[in-house]
Amino acid sequence: MGIEREGGWLAAFYFIYFCALGAFMPYWGPWLHDQGQTPLAIGILTAAVQFSKVLAPNLWGWLAHFWGSRPIVMVGTLLTAAGFLALEFSAGNFIAILLITLAFSFFWAATLPLVDATTMDWAQRRSASYGRIRLWGSLGFIALSLGMGVLISTLGMQAFLPGILLFLVLAWWVSRHLPYASSIPSSTQARPRMTPVLRDLRLWFFLLAGLLEQASHGVYYAFYSIYAEAHGLSSTSVGMLWGFAVLCEVAFFWWGDRFIRRLGIPLVFTAAFVLTALRWGVIAWWPGLLWIILVQSLHAASYAAFHLAAIHWIAERFPGALRARGMALYASMVYGLGGGIGALAAGWSWAHWGGQWTFAAAGLLALFASVFLIKGL
């Protein structure tokens, strides 16, 4: 398989996978509301998706150490699709939806860390750019976050589950063709051990910093649209702000590997944390629409630069057969635990302090996280 074809399959997987995610994230809450769920139930079901990422990626990463990534990615994607099919028959029952949500989230969490590890291995073998493959995921997210809105406006909320199911089945088909590295040691080889890496305190300082940085995003993902509309913006304008932010993310993924080679991982990380704090501070202040548009460009720092630098940092510390487990540990701690804590904390803070102080607190949290980042680096 040629390098162009291999890269094409990887880009196709990211695009299709994030099409499903772009259809899911903005409309999961409205779909639950349409099923008659209370606000508390919606909060619990949303948190269930996040917290499933805490344990599941580590389990799947450990299994990939013995089985390889190919069967896990393929089976995980297919069983995730089966979970969304099962939701069609939940009839609005909270317990049924909760159990199905825990199940499909458990299998969905298997895929992305393993594909990230596969892509990073491939990029190093082929002297290619991880970021230029990963940006296709951001394009897919934009396409379906907008496209699903059009479908729902036209066909109603009944388009939600079939739309996601279609893209997950396509992701399963594409996953059959990914250029997986052979990461299973032969029976005569000693399996590399995680213990020496896990004993390095710098790893845990880095993961704690990433957890706090991602937790600071909780208020953005949960309440940014509400906050913007409260300042007089229309739903269309808010959607354009979200789209602009992701376009800036795409731009950084395109050029980000050059930044990392030229500036180094520590400087890119530090800039990402400081600019994240600046972003939340400006949103809290809300000095006017022009500034809000400009500050949305910092999504390139708060998400893209952080994630790209983190992938490189993890890849350096978890070589070869350990890489899938390293990516899984990163995903579970930063996006699973950090995302879940951030969402719950944002909801509590919003109810007690209001939007301005919650965004201000998120900015302080990102700055506080940089202390642990410095220790980790």
Side-chain angles (χ1 to χ4, degrees):
M1 190 185 293
I3 182 172
E4 294 84 4
R5 192 175 181 186
E6 291 174 342
W9 284 118
L10 287 165
F13 182 88
Y14 278 110
F15 183 84
I16 293 168
Y17 177 95
F18 278 91
C19 278
L21 196 62
F24 173 78
M25 286 186 64
Y27 303 106
W28 175 238
W31 181 82
L32 291 172
H33 183 265
D34 187 68
Q35 297 295 302
Q37 302 302 312
T38 66
L40 177 60
I42 292 172
I44 293 171
L45 292 166
T46 302
V49 176
Q50 294 292 335
F51 282 119
S52 68
K53 299 176 185 177
V54 177
L55 296 177
N58 288 297
L59 173 61
W60 294 120
W62 177 75
L63 291 174
H65 189 58
F66 298 95
W67 298 348
S69 296
R70 180 189 296 273
I72 296 175
V73 172
M74 291 174 58
V75 171
T77 307
L78 196 59
L79 290 178
T80 304
F84 278 94
L85 180 61
L87 284 174
E88 288 277 16
F89 305 97
S90 62
N93 181 273
F94 171 76
I95 297 300
I97 295 175
L98 177 61
L99 293 176
I100 295 169
T101 298
L102 290 171
F104 81 68
S105 299
F106 180 78
F107 291 110
W108 209 353
T111 52
L112 192 58
L114 297 182
V115 174
D116 273 336
T118 296
T119 305
M120 198 66 192
D121 286 337
W122 172 84
Q124 291 181 341
R125 292 197 313 270
R126 297 292 199 172
S127 298
S129 168
Y130 167 87
R132 294 192 179 188
I133 297 296
R134 174 59 181 79
L135 68 83
W136 286 95
S138 302
L139 293 174
F141 189 94
I142 295 172
L144 258 291
S145 61
L146 298 176
M148 182 57 74
V150 173
L151 279 176
I152 290 174
S153 297
T154 305
L155 303 176
M157 195 56 72
Q158 63 265 28
F160 175 71
L161 293 178
I164 296 175
L165 181 61
L166 171 64
F167 283 102
L168 287 171
V169 172
L170 286 173
W172 164 77
W173 184 79
V174 171
S175 72
R176 298 160 60 240
H177 303 281
L178 299 183
Y180 301 98
S182 177
S183 58
I184 309 175
S186 68
S187 58
T188 59
Q189 287 179 304
R191 295 185 183 273
R193 297 179 62 83
M194 287 276 285
T195 305
V197 185
L198 296 179
R199 284 176 177 168
D200 188 346
L201 284 178
R202 291 174 300 175
L203 170 67
W204 297 103
F205 279 123
F206 163 76
L207 291 174
L208 179 57
L211 182 155
L212 295 175
E213 198 270 355
Q214 185 60 28
S216 79
H217 284 68
V219 62
Y220 176 72
Y221 291 130
F223 296 106
Y224 179 73
S225 297
I226 297 172
Y227 192 64
E229 290 179 358
H231 283 83
L233 298 187
S234 66
S235 297
T236 302
S237 298
V238 173
M240 293 175 68
L241 286 173
W242 279 90
F244 175 63
V246 181
L247 283 175
C248 294
E249 168 190 320
V250 170
F252 190 89
F253 278 131
W254 181 262
W255 285 291
D257 289 289
R258 296 182 185 177
F259 279 102
I260 289 175
R261 285 195 299 269
R262 183 169 298 177
L263 302 177
I265 291 175
L267 183 57
V268 172
F269 260 139
T270 304
F273 277 58
V274 172
L275 291 175
T276 299
L278 175 64
R279 183 187 185 190
W280 306 145
V282 172
I283 292 174
W285 181 27
W286 202 273
L289 181 58
L290 177 60
W291 287 101
I292 294 302
I293 294 172
L294 291 174
V295 85
Q296 278 296 83
S297 68
L298 295 182
H299 194 69
S302 66
Y303 175 72
F306 166 76
H307 180 68
L308 192 58
I311 290 294
H312 281 273
W313 196 89
I314 291 291
E316 288 179 0
R317 278 147 188 80
F318 291 86
L322 292 177
R323 183 158 297 158
R325 296 176 70 183
M327 295 294 182
L329 179 63
Y330 161 68
S332 64
M333 287 287 291
V334 173
Y335 293 104
L337 191 58
I341 291 173
L344 293 177
W348 181 89
S349 175
W350 196 275
H352 288 79
W353 298 343
Q356 184 175 30
W357 287 108
T358 301
F359 272 107
L364 292 175
L365 183 62
L367 280 180
F368 180 62
S370 65
V371 174
F372 297 100
L373 175 71
I374 292 170
K375 288 184 174 292
L377 298 178

